[in-house]
Amino acid sequence: MRGTGKTGRATLSGVLAVCLAGSMMVVPVTAQAKPKPPVIPSQAAVDRAKAAAADKAGQVKAIEQQLAAAEARLEQLGIQSGIADEAYNGAVYRLDQAKKEAATAAERAAKAEKTLNTQRQQIGRFAVASYQGGGDIAKLAPLFTAEGPQQLLDSAGTAHTVSSAMQGSYLRYSANQVVTNLFKVQADQAVTKVKHATEEAAKAKKAAEAAEAAQSAAVTAMGVQRQKSIAQLAVLQNTSVQVAAQRQRGLEELARQRAAAIAAQKAAELRRKIEAREAAERARERAREAAERAREREQGKKNPGKKKPPRERPGNGGNGGSGRGASRAIAFALSQLGDMYLWGGTGPSRWDCSGLMMGAWKRAGVQLPHYSVAQYEQTRHIDEDELRPGDLIFWSIDPNDPGTIHHVAMYLGAGRMIHAPRSGKPVQIQSVYYWEPPDFFGRP
């Protein structure tokens, strides 16, 4: 019995131990972790973050403005370069005119000198006679009028007697002496004018070369700065350089599209003005024809059986802007599309603005000088709403002074034009209002 009791207690103890161990595995005791306090930035930190964001946005905007300003600066340099180029063309034009005047004056002076020598020999064949009043200044007064010298020489040549011949010969000699001296002075003045024109042409050439060099250097420098600015944009916006460059191109394209939309509106307005004027002209013509027919009917009643003269139909008066000549000029200009600008260029594959217009209208049989100011002077001046294809459009520094014209283009119709814009740009078709409104209009 003892043995049995001891064994039973041992067995019970083992069972209790197993049960206790089992119960401890089933219900473990969990440790309570202390929670971390939340991160709460101070108001000052928030303000600093907002300020940093605003500063970054400001930097981005500033760089974008710099890029836009650089583009505008390049455009302005292009305009200034074009002005300098046309100033050089003007100087060359004036030099050519001065040379022609000098050649004419020299020929006139040489001819007068030859005539004077002939008359000197003739006087030697006459007896020396007293001649009172032959050198009277009053008789030489006509020399100082526009046609005076020739009139005086003609009047001095009417001698019918020996005495009159002597007097006439001496008078002609005196007159020719004054004329010869005058022509010599004019020849000297013409030579001086050539000298001054040569100097002005040289200065204008240097100015044009400097303007071209400045623009070329600016294009290079701004190209480098543009890449740096785009890289800075990429950093500030946390984007790749490619994305930043794409954004910048998009912004610039958007600006061009907006400018093109404005130009299109102005071109549409120009078309409406031209159409309204043409409609008014047609209405006036119909009214004129109706009135003419009424007069003819009235005359027919008064004079029955009388044959009516053929009615003249109005033409364009030989105006180049609406005839076959204009078509030939336009076709030539269009065939130069894509040719690059070259200051002083007159073809066959490089042009400046006035050189292209000169070449185009030469194909149509119209001679224009290589200078936009002179081209305006030698065309029929018209209003904007009179424009027809082939007409010339001019821009100037002072819209009230055609002497400050510096650019010329050819009107194509529908508010479009063709021109050689500036250095670095090809001959192209653009809206008449792609940059600023034109000031003057002419028809070759």
Side-chain angles (χ1 to χ4, degrees):
M1 291 293 292
R2 288 179 183 173
T4 302
K6 189 182 289 187
T7 302
R9 288 196 295 273
T11 301
L12 181 59
S13 300
V15 171
L16 289 172
V18 170
C19 290
L20 182 60
S23 64
M24 290 176 66
M25 292 178 63
V26 173
V27 187
V29 178
T30 57
Q32 297 295 324
K34 188 176 181 180
K36 294 182 179 180
V39 178
I40 304 176
S42 66
Q43 184 61 46
V46 172
D47 293 341
R48 285 194 299 272
K50 288 181 178 180
D55 182 62
K56 181 180 290 188
Q59 292 180 51
V60 168
K61 186 175 182 179
I63 292 176
E64 289 177 344
Q65 289 175 344
Q66 289 173 7
L67 288 168
E71 187 71 18
R73 174 62 177 159
L74 282 179
E75 185 67 24
Q76 185 61 34
L77 283 172
I79 294 172
Q80 292 175 359
S81 177
I83 292 173
D85 294 348
E86 274 305 285
Y88 171 71
N89 288 339
V92 172
Y93 174 77
R94 288 187 291 273
L95 174 59
D96 183 59
Q97 295 297 103
K99 287 180 177 178
K100 290 178 181 178
E101 291 175 8
T104 301
E107 181 181 359
R108 198 165 50 207
K111 186 176 179 180
E113 182 68 31
K114 183 177 180 181
T115 301
L116 190 66
N117 290 334
T118 301
Q119 291 176 339
R120 186 181 295 114
Q121 295 172 2
Q122 184 180 11
I123 289 175
R125 291 194 294 266
F126 286 103
V128 178
S130 175
Y131 177 68
Q132 300 297 325
D136 191 352
I137 297 300
K139 293 183 179 181
L140 298 182
L143 286 173
F144 302 101
T145 65
E147 298 179 354
Q150 188 61 46
Q151 291 176 354
L152 183 58
L153 293 177
D154 292 343
S155 65
T158 57
H160 304 289
T161 65
V162 175
S163 177
S164 298
M166 291 176 60
Q167 294 176 3
S169 180
Y170 185 75
L171 182 58
R172 285 195 301 273
Y173 176 79
S174 300
N176 266 325
Q177 195 169 34
V178 175
V179 171
T180 301
N181 291 335
L182 179 62
F183 285 166
K184 285 180 179 179
V185 170
Q186 291 177 344
D188 291 341
Q189 290 174 342
V191 171
T192 302
K193 190 174 180 180
V194 169
K195 181 181 178 181
H196 289 163
T198 302
E199 293 172 352
E200 289 300 318
K203 291 179 182 178
K205 183 178 181 180
K206 288 183 179 179
E209 289 173 342
E212 290 284 330
Q215 187 197 15
S216 177
V219 169
T220 302
M222 289 182 185
V224 174
Q225 184 58 43
R226 175 186 172 87
Q227 293 303 318
K228 290 181 179 179
S229 298
I230 288 176
Q232 292 176 16
L233 274 174
V235 172
L236 291 171
Q237 296 173 332
N238 295 321
T239 59
S240 68
V241 173
Q242 289 79 6
V243 174
Q246 184 178 5
R247 168 181 165 75
Q248 183 58 32
R249 287 194 298 270
L251 291 173
E252 292 170 358
E253 178 59 27
L254 181 61
R256 281 191 289 269
Q257 289 176 1
R258 288 172 178 168
I262 294 173
Q265 291 177 355
K266 292 182 178 179
E269 182 181 351
L270 173 62
R271 288 198 298 272
R272 287 192 294 270
K273 289 167 62 177
I274 292 174
E275 290 169 358
R277 185 182 185 111
E278 290 176 346
E281 289 176 352
R282 288 193 296 269
R284 285 193 296 270
E285 180 59 25
R286 287 194 297 269
R288 189 194 68 79
E289 290 179 350
E292 182 65 25
R293 285 193 295 270
R295 282 194 297 271
E296 289 175 357
R297 286 194 297 269
E298 188 66 24
Q299 289 294 330
K301 292 178 182 178
K302 294 179 179 179
N303 303 289
K306 184 177 181 180
K307 188 176 181 180
K308 294 183 292 186
R311 185 184 302 145
E312 294 183 2
R313 297 191 61 84
N316 59 30
N319 296 329
S322 57
R324 294 173 58 189
S327 299
R328 289 192 290 268
I330 292 171
F332 180 88
L334 291 175
S335 69
Q336 314 308 315
L337 281 171
D339 288 356
M340 293 303 295
Y341 181 96
L342 175 68
W343 72 273
T346 57
S349 59
R350 302 288 296 276
W351 309 88
D352 64 10
C353 65
S354 56
L356 179 62
M357 299 302 104
M358 180 180 71
W361 273 102
K362 182 179 180 181
R363 179 60 60 91
V366 177
Q367 298 296 325
L368 292 176
H370 184 200
Y371 179 35
S372 56
V373 172
Q375 287 180 356
Y376 178 71
E377 291 173 348
Q378 296 184 21
T379 57
R380 184 167 77 84
H381 303 167
I382 60 175
D383 293 329
E384 185 180 35
D385 58 359
E386 293 181 271
L387 280 171
R388 298 172 185 170
D391 290 343
L392 301 185
I393 308 171
F394 301 89
W395 286 259
S396 64
I397 298 173
D398 181 352
N400 297 313
D401 182 6
T404 64
I405 286 173
H406 61 81
H407 189 64
V408 59
M410 179 183 289
Y411 186 65
L412 296 178
R416 300 174 307 136
M417 65 180 184
I418 183 169
H419 68 149
R422 60 175 174 82
S423 181
K425 297 285 187 179
V427 173
Q428 56 189 273
I429 296 173
Q430 288 181 306
S431 167
V432 171
Y433 304 97
Y434 85 104
W435 56 312
E436 60 183 34
D439 302 307
F440 301 97
F441 310 89
R443 181 166 297 157

